[in-house]
Amino acid sequence: MSSAPPLFIVGCSRSGTTLLRLMLTQHPDLHIPPESEFLLSLYDQAELYGTFEAPHQRWFFIRDLQTTEVSMGAYAFPIFDLSIHAAETALAERAPTDFAGAAAALFEASAHEHGKTRWGDKTPHYVRHIEWLSDAYPEAQFIHMIRDGRDVARSRVEAGFTSSMRRSALHWKEEVQSGRDARQHLSDRRYHELFYEDLVHNPSSVLREVCGWIDLNYTEHLLTFDRTGDASVPDEHAHLHENVTNAVDPSRAQAWRTSLPSRDVADVEAVAGDLLRDLGYDLTGARVPLWLRVVRGLYRNGRAQARAVVQTLKRLGIV
């Protein structure tokens, strides 16, 4: 197994994890494929794969990677850019091994295929599973990307992940808190919080710091992601990452200030204001309008009654 520890980039979706991946994978020594997800979904079948010494065990694993959807139509096996023969060879050379070792063998083979010596993984949802991953990969390092929850909620709604700002805010709060809780069990050498706003405002200095933390020499090539980013995102996800061919834009930080209605800001702050404050983000103090709070209360008791009240409020010009 490679002596260099793997790097996991985690965080609530729409927090800049893809941007960081595209930047870091420009490094001549580090390869980070698109999202994997299978580390959790296939672990339950680890008994089927055994020690990966028998050909059928390796083929079962490869077959499952080919048929496991990681997200929105993208499948696990293609992220490695390996032929079936190359994958089978990598697993055979690693055997006997366990599930984590087999996955590492494929990640390493993928890195070597791209002329790199070290591998990483960018799967935002793993922020809820840092403890499991840290046990599976005792030397692994974790970068937890954090972005203002108001921007994340806005982006998740725009991406169609949900239609509710409040649900999106709650999702952000739970994901970020999961990552912060996990850091209690990890040393500073293994867990690092990186704020999206810092990255887009000072990309060179932040990336220099990150490279030092993961023991890689800094190179300006990390800032050239906009020239190759479109080739590093699965076609199924292209519509979610339309800015990958653009240079870093600082205006994307705190964009909620000019794009979110006060009512939406109030919703996010009502749900996640305590965590926003703990992270150092300023709160606006926006409040959900009284009429909307009343209508929402009515909806909980009956939609017909709530609709009638809304119609009355519209006639009166209140909404």
Side-chain angles (χ1 to χ4, degrees):
M1 185 176 292
S2 172
S3 58
L7 173 67
F8 289 92
I9 300 173
V10 300
C12 184
S13 59
R14 315 307 288 174
S15 292
T17 55
T18 295
L19 173 63
L20 181 62
R21 176 181 83 83
L22 294 177
M23 288 175 161
L24 292 180
T25 205
Q26 302 304 312
H27 197 283
D29 296 328
L30 179 62
H31 178 60
I32 308 176
E35 298 178 22
S36 64
E37 198 69 48
F38 75 86
L39 288 175
L40 294 175
S41 59
L42 294 186
Y43 178 71
D44 291 340
Q45 303 187 98
E47 195 171 304
L48 177 66
Y49 312 132
T51 60
F52 294 86
E53 292 176 279
H56 73 272
Q57 294 173 325
R58 301 191 291 271
W59 282 95
F60 282 155
F61 187 44
I62 294 172
R63 175 206 61 190
D64 289 345
L65 289 171
Q66 291 174 313
T67 57
T68 295
E69 185 174 344
V70 289
S71 62
M72 296 178 294
Y75 288 84
F77 189 70
I79 72 171
F80 297 113
D81 285 334
L82 295 173
S83 67
I84 293 177
H85 174 71
E88 203 276 340
T89 299
L91 292 173
E93 291 177 347
R94 181 60 55 85
T97 189
D98 59 8
F99 176 83
L106 295 184
F107 277 110
E108 288 173 19
S110 179
H112 294 156
E113 183 72 15
H114 287 81
K116 311 289 186 76
T117 59
R118 186 171 174 184
W119 67 272
D121 178 282
K122 190 283 295 187
T123 303
H125 180 63
Y126 287 167
V127 73
R128 293 180 183 256
H129 305 280
I130 292 176
E131 188 172 353
W132 181 87
L133 288 168
S134 66
D135 288 340
Y137 300 99
E139 301 301 319
Q141 294 177 279
F142 298 86
I143 294 181
H144 180 191
M145 283 290 298
I146 298 176
R147 186 182 186 184
D148 191 315
R150 290 158 293 197
D151 272 324
V152 171
R154 172 189 58 82
S155 185
R156 284 178 54 81
V157 169
E158 290 178 353
F161 293 170
T162 178
S163 60
S164 168
M165 292 294 292
R166 288 182 296 166
R167 283 197 298 272
S168 192
L170 180 59
H171 179 82
W172 174 84
K173 182 178 181 179
E174 291 174 346
E175 297 260 286
V176 173
Q177 195 60 60
S178 292
R180 304 201 93 205
D181 288 344
R183 71 176 176 171
Q184 300 174 18
H185 308 289
L186 298 174
S187 67
D188 291 341
R189 186 74 192 92
R190 300 191 64 194
Y191 176 94
H192 179 72
E193 287 182 355
L194 195 162
F195 286 83
Y196 173 85
E197 293 79 15
D198 293 336
L199 179 62
V200 297
H201 279 292
N202 302 291
S204 182
S205 60
V206 169
L207 290 172
R208 190 180 298 275
E209 179 185 351
V210 168
C211 284
W213 185 72
I214 58 178
D215 292 328
L216 291 177
N217 293 323
Y218 174 74
T219 168
E220 293 290 339
H221 288 303
L222 273 59
L223 298 175
T224 66
F225 72 95
D226 53 307
R227 303 172 200 169
T228 58
D230 58 336
S232 302
V233 173
D235 291 340
E236 296 86 352
H237 300 171
H239 67 288
L240 297 175
H241 305 290
E242 297 176 348
N243 292 313
V244 296
T245 55
N246 299 329
V248 175
D249 181 4
S251 69
R252 290 163 62 185
Q254 304 284 290
W256 64 268
R257 293 186 182 278
T258 57
S259 60
L260 272 190
S262 176
R263 188 174 74 193
D264 289 341
V265 173
D267 272 338
V268 177
E269 292 185 357
V271 172
D274 53 346
L275 182 54
L276 283 167
R277 187 184 298 107
D278 289 345
L279 292 168
Y281 294 109
D282 294 330
L283 300 184
T284 66
R287 297 288 305 276
V288 177
L290 176 60
W291 69 264
L292 183 55
R293 280 180 276 157
V294 171
V295 169
R296 284 174 174 171
L298 292 172
Y299 259 106
R300 285 192 286 270
N301 296 320
R303 290 180 178 273
Q305 184 182 17
R307 279 195 292 266
V309 171
V310 170
Q311 291 301 320
T312 300
L313 292 173
K314 285 183 177 179
R315 285 196 300 272
L316 295 174
I318 297 176
V319 299

